[in-house]
């Protein structure tokens, strides 16, 4: 495949690319040589289309890809429409929909696994699987742990790293990007390419972003911040992270200078208003990236009104309910919250109620069956609000 040229990064740009928000580069000298050669590289990153959102955790790698894209290198996004049928035992899931919030979609090559895997025959699969042994696959951490614990491992699961590796062959990847939990899979691609006469790809891993509860950010943990999260929810979630994470979030998700970052870490370490102000700045900067500065300022004002001054939120969703002349009516939260799109399922509503995470006019409810009046405020979780209105009256104007 013919490739064009790319701009050679200045020394400070190269340092930023290879040191900031980087876990490991295999092999570093090989990667640096390629980036400074002036040849446009093909930078591969895969996405599993079975999940509904990209999160700030995914943004760490996408931001690194954007830096290289701005130098003239080609991002090759692999939509895992085929391996998604198998499932990744590491639990890593991604989605294509929001990635253009960070990288330039028009300058990105989008490829679907089905382009090559739909043409595979049994002979092709047998020949491909013969290039690796079961012992090699058991070097993967989660496989090794399950094998040692005598827990079942489906034969189809062993194909996942191999098929992901073949993606690198199919698109002639020069570099593959992923989180540290994907290192094994990325290295399988590096091992496989020479079998097809290709130069082995460099492997570029980025740190895993810690979620709002202190463990790896992921959809399955429910501790994530989605890239298309409503601005007031995004701001609120970022304000809920623990102080020790603020510096890491600035380092992995923003472009603040090293000097500024050092000052932020020091302010957070001292605690008090300095730590609070640093967290507010973080929330404002990240919301600005994905929603714009004006919207971020409004989200900050809303947060201060609701959580600092305990005032009624402006961003509450108005939910019409038929009162039919009565002052109060009984409603089932599982029905109204799901139909309003505030909760994804009735079981989720029941779970939140059980956890005490649903309040009616500031009081936690113990049942999904509640009595409400006109202008009743329902709070779901920390950042979602529903205002009950009489369906026989016109809805209030949004401020």
């Amino acid at each position: 495949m013919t490739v064009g040229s790319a701009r050679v990064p200045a020394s400070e740009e190269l340092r930023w690319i290879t040191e900031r928000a980087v876990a490991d580069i295999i092999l570093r000298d090989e990667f640096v040589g390629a980036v400074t050669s002036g040849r446009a590289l093909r930078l591969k990153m895969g996405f599993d289309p079975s999940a509904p959102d990209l999160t700030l955790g995914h943004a760490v790698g996408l931001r690194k890809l954007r830096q290289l894209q701005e130098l003239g290198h080609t991002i090759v996004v692999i939509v895992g429409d085929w391996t998604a049928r198998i499932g990744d035992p590491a639990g890593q899931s991604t989605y294509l929909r929001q990635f253009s919030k960070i990288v330039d979609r028009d300058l990105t090559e989008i490829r679907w696994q089905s382009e090559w895997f739909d043409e595979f025959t049994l002979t092709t699969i047998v020949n491909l699987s013969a290039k690796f042994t079961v012992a090699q696959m058991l070097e993967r951490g989660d496989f090794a742990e399950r094998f040692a614990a005598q827990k079942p491992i489906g034969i189809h699961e062993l194909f996942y790293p191999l098929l992901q590796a073949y993606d690198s062959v199919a698109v002639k990847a020069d570099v593959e990007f992923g989180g540290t939990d994907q290192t094994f899979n990325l290295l399988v691609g590096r091992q496989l390419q020479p079998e097809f006469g290709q130069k082995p790809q460099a492997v570029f891993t980025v740190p895993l972003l810690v979620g709002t509860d202190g463990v790896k950010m992921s959809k399955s943990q429910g501790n994530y911040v989605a890239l298309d999260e409503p601005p007031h929810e995004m701001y609120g979630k970022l304000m809920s992270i623990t102080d020790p994470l603020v510096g890491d979030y600035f380092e992995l998700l923003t472009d603040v200078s090293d000097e500024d970052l050092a000052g932020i870490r020091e302010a957070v370490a001292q605690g008090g208003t300095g730590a609070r102000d640093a967290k507010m700045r973080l929330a404002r900067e990240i919301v600005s990236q994905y929603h714009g500065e004006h919207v971020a300022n409004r989200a900050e004002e809303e947060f201060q009104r609701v959580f600092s001054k305990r005032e009624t939120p402006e961003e509450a969703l108005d939910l019409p309910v038929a009162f039919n002349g009565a002052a109060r009516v009984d409603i089932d939260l599982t029905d109204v919250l799901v139909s309003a799109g505030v909760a994804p399922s009735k079981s989720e509503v029941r779970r939140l109620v059980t956890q005490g995470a649903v309040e009616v006019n500031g009081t936690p409810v113990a049942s999904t069956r509640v009595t409400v009046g006109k202008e009743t405020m329902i709070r779901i979780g920390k950042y979602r609000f529903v205002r009950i209105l009489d369906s026989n009256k016109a809805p209030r104007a949004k401020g």
Side-chain angles (χ1 to χ4, degrees), residues 47-49 51 54 77 79 94-100 110 112:
F47 292 84
D48 176 353
L54 289 181
V77 168
V79 182
T94 53
Y95 193 63
L96 182 62
R97 183 165 53 90
Q98 305 101 346
F99 88 101
S100 59
I110 308 294
W112 299 76

Side-chain angles (χ1 to χ4, degrees), residues 333-392:
L333 292 174
T334 60
D335 291 330
V336 298
L337 296 183
V338 172
S339 63
V342 178
S345 65
K346 293 183 178 182
S347 60
E348 174 69 4
V349 175
R350 287 191 288 268
R351 182 183 68 82
L352 290 169
V353 168
T354 300
Q355 294 176 345
V358 178
E359 297 179 356
V360 174
N361 285 338
T363 301
V365 298
S367 170
T368 61
R369 193 76 183 177
V370 297
T371 301
V372 297
K374 301 163 188 178
E375 299 290 325
T376 291
M377 185 66 68
I378 301 175
R379 177 172 170 174
I380 306 94
K382 291 183 178 180
Y383 316 111
R384 289 170 289 173
F385 295 86
V386 169
R387 181 188 294 109
I388 300 297
L389 298 181
D390 189 343
S391 60
N392 296 321

Side-chain angles (χ1 to χ4, degrees), residues 215-231:
V215 300
K216 172 194 167 185
M217 182 176 289
S218 73
K219 289 287 295 181
S220 60
Q221 290 290 334
N223 61 355
Y224 65 96
V225 182
L227 296 189
D228 63 349
E229 198 95 50

